[in-house]
Amino acid sequence: MGKLLCDSSTVAETFQSSSPTVAWRDPPAKSAPLDEDPIEALDLVDQSTADAWDAVLGLEDQQRRHLQRLHAKGVLWKHPEEDDSSLPQKSMVFRLSHGGEVSSDGNCLFTASHKAMMAAREVDARELRRRTVRRFLEDYGSASVEERDVISDVIRHLYAPDLRAGWGIHVIQEVKLLAKKDERVSLDSAIDELLQLGMQRELAAESIYKERCIPVSDGPSWAKYMLISGSPDDEYDIITLQYTEEGLLTIDENREGHAAAFGDDIAIECLATEFKREIYVVQAHGSDAMVDEENCVFFLPHRPRTRICEPPFFLFMKGTGWCGAGADHYEPLIAHPLSFVSQEKVAMVL
């Protein structure tokens, strides 16, 4: 599953440095004009190949038609960096095909990215997760105090929200806590002590977890959280407290330790930075989102904080409503480079 709860542009801004001593981003670059940069790549797939979108489950007719049109005509990506970039081709046309299902185990951002990137076998989804967190910590460590405060505000909004606010937008809000695996027995003992005093089970658990576990509320705690893949090797377990406006709804105590940290916009930007590539999340909304067919597919860009040296890769999310109902799972898109097509003939210019 995935998480797209904050504007990626906001996250990007939090990582940009206003201090001349911290090199968060290379100097602004100029985009290369399209007519100066014809691509010479050959088609990797036959233009007449049957569209694989017919076999993708869970799509409405308007979503499928729009995605088939993107597949048939291609999308044009223009390199946003300056002419001396290490990427030789400044404009590329891609045909986007669905890359197949991936497991809904909380690791889908990294599993889907691995497939979409067509990464080497030795770089598996868990390694992508580790590299994402390492990149975040390196960049976070070089940030100013003010920048870290902004980043922490974003993280708190995602994982430790103010339960006095936000109810005009959300029906249920979640608070994420981290429990050390080797402390679960002592946590249970403390909960049992409160039960013996007559406290209700969920209220006792809420009290102990909030007192003794780590809230995901800043950069270091986000890094601990994002490393969790649901493996026995994880240092922490994820505890999830769910609230309605009336109070505590339920607690997911994750006693088997299988819960993984869902990828979010911060993770996507760090992944983009690590590999010096743009990442586009292609989100398709259904008819209940009150959008017409021409506007039912969105391309959400995530820019790296360094010079772009590789072509972009693409991830897919399919939703059934404007608020993203059902759109919490990433799937891979395979981008096939095509022969040069004029800007007027492609389905979309990114």
Side-chain angles (χ1 to χ4, degrees):
M1 298 180 77
K3 198 164 193 174
L4 278 172
L5 297 183
C6 61
D7 184 357
S8 63
S9 63
T10 301
V11 175
E13 288 173 4
T14 66
F15 279 99
Q16 294 180 28
S17 174
S18 59
S19 169
T21 63
V22 182
W24 280 94
R25 188 187 293 274
D26 291 330
K30 300 178 181 178
S31 297
L34 179 63
D35 56 4
E36 293 180 4
D37 187 36
I39 182 173
E40 297 178 354
L42 298 177
D43 291 8
L44 296 184
V45 291
D46 189 338
Q47 297 274 0
S48 63
T49 302
D51 185 17
W53 285 107
D54 287 332
V56 179
L57 300 176
L59 292 176
E60 294 183 3
D61 288 343
Q62 72 167 9
Q63 294 170 309
R64 199 180 307 276
R65 285 193 299 267
H66 193 98
L67 291 163
Q68 287 171 336
R69 186 159 61 251
L70 290 175
H71 176 90
K73 294 187 175 182
V75 297
L76 174 63
W77 172 74
K78 295 183 178 181
H79 196 299
E81 299 290 345
E82 56 194 346
D83 291 341
D84 64 355
S85 168
S86 59
L87 187 68
Q89 295 146 347
K90 303 299 190 298
S91 297
M92 303 181 73
V93 178
F94 296 102
R95 168 181 290 153
L96 301 180
S97 299
H98 190 259
E101 298 289 335
V102 297
S103 177
S104 301
D105 60 357
N107 294 294
C108 62
L109 168 63
F110 305 102
T111 306
S113 294
H114 181 264
K115 284 191 173 185
M117 293 169 63
M118 294 180 282
R121 291 181 180 179
E122 60 270 16
V123 183
D124 60 10
R126 291 187 66 186
E127 177 62 19
L128 288 183
R129 185 185 282 275
R130 286 191 289 267
R131 289 179 66 169
T132 296
V133 173
R134 184 178 64 197
R135 169 53 53 195
F136 172 83
L137 288 174
E138 289 179 1
D139 291 348
Y140 183 83
S142 65
S144 67
V145 173
E146 292 77 13
E147 290 165 334
R148 294 185 192 182
D149 288 342
V150 173
I151 296 166
S152 294
D153 286 343
V154 173
I155 292 169
R156 276 193 296 273
H157 171 72
L158 289 170
Y159 302 110
D162 182 353
L163 296 176
R164 298 168 298 180
W167 297 113
I169 301 173
H170 306 286
V171 177
I172 296 176
Q173 297 195 68
E174 292 185 346
V175 173
K176 298 290 186 182
L177 302 171
L178 306 180
K180 271 201 167 185
K181 285 184 178 289
D182 57 12
E183 293 180 359
R184 294 302 292 260
V185 173
S186 64
L187 290 171
D188 287 341
S189 296
I191 292 171
D192 288 339
E193 290 179 7
L194 294 182
L195 292 179
Q196 292 171 11
L197 296 175
M199 187 177 288
Q200 293 181 355
R201 177 67 176 73
E202 285 199 334
L203 294 179
E206 177 194 29
S207 176
I208 294 302
Y209 289 144
K210 291 178 73 173
E211 176 186 346
R212 301 195 181 187
C213 295
I214 300 172
V216 182
S217 58
D218 58 16
S221 59
W222 181 91
K224 291 182 175 70
Y225 169 75
M226 196 52 61
L227 275 177
I228 298 173
S229 62
S231 163
D233 298 331
D234 294 331
E235 183 178 1
Y236 294 92
D237 286 334
I238 299 171
I239 306 292
T240 303
L241 309 180
Q242 289 191 334
Y243 293 88
T244 65
E245 195 168 3
E246 287 72 34
L248 180 66
L249 175 64
T250 187
I251 302 176
D252 181 357
E253 299 187 65
N254 186 27
R255 292 196 168 274
E256 301 299 322
H258 295 325
F262 303 157
D264 59 19
D265 282 324
I266 303 172
I268 297 175
E269 189 189 73
C270 291
L271 191 60
T273 301
E274 176 68 11
F275 289 93
K276 301 180 180 180
R277 305 173 70 167
E278 284 188 295
I279 301 175
Y280 285 88
V281 177
V282 183
Q283 190 158 352
H285 285 288
S287 57
D288 61 341
M290 295 183 292
V291 292
D292 58 28
E293 185 171 330
E294 290 302 315
N295 298 300
C296 70
V297 175
F298 303 86
F299 283 72
L300 308 177
H302 294 74
R303 291 280 304 277
R305 298 184 301 276
T306 56
R307 178 172 288 116
I308 296 171
C309 297
E310 299 287 342
F313 69 89
F314 301 81
L315 302 171
F316 182 61
M317 299 176 78
K318 50 179 177 276
T320 56
W322 176 253
C323 294
D328 56 356
H329 179 65
Y330 294 100
E331 296 172 350
L333 291 178
I334 307 303
H336 303 281
L338 300 178
S339 303
F340 181 76
V341 179
S342 69
Q343 181 169 329
E344 291 75 22
K345 293 183 179 181
V346 296
M348 181 173 292
V349 178
L350 302 178

